[in-house]
Amino acid sequence: MTGGGARPQVPATTTPVEPVVGSAVRDLACARIGVVMRREGPYLQLRPLGGGREWDADPGRVRLLTHAEVLSARVAEVNARSRRNLDLGGASGAPGMPWSGQDPDGPCGP
């Protein structure tokens, strides 16, 4: 080891990072991925990555996505859109509606 100094200690517990507008998060209550649009009262308003209807999420039940998770979710979104455009199927959702990668009738709604 070079530098001769002691390494800084990382605290055992850290305060979770509060998502800000534009952050990609996973809503743990319904396993959906969305982008934080705003805070409305005690809730975060989330929208699917590919657009669509917003839903309310408990800020204590969301987790920030890593860069790799965001990339993976966006690739899945583009692939689903491509399949719909080619009419090959394999993606859920009505024609013309962005696919969120989730069950549209799940606990967080369409």
Side-chain angles (χ1 to χ4, degrees):
M1 197 156 118
T2 60
R7 298 182 78 183
Q9 294 296 315
V10 176
T13 59
T14 59
T15 305
V17 176
E18 180 75 20
V20 296
V21 172
S23 298
V25 297
R26 177 176 299 278
D27 183 348
L28 301 173
C30 59
R32 290 181 73 185
I33 293 174
V35 176
V36 176
M37 302 307 291
R38 72 183 70 66
R39 180 177 279 281
E40 190 70 35
Y43 299 102
L44 294 175
Q45 290 271 292
L46 304 181
R47 180 171 297 198
L49 289 179
R53 183 179 291 168
E54 293 180 359
W55 76 93
D56 291 337
D58 176 356
R61 299 285 318 252
V62 299
R63 172 181 74 75
L64 287 171
L65 296 181
T66 66
H67 293 293
E69 289 171 318
V70 173
L71 179 60
S72 177
R74 291 195 185 278
V75 167
E77 177 72 32
V78 170
N79 286 341
R81 189 177 317 127
S82 176
R83 283 191 299 271
R84 272 197 315 278
N85 290 341
L86 295 174
D87 198 30
L88 296 176
S92 64
M97 291 295 294
W99 184 66
S100 67
Q102 307 299 323
D103 178 8
D105 299 321
C108 293

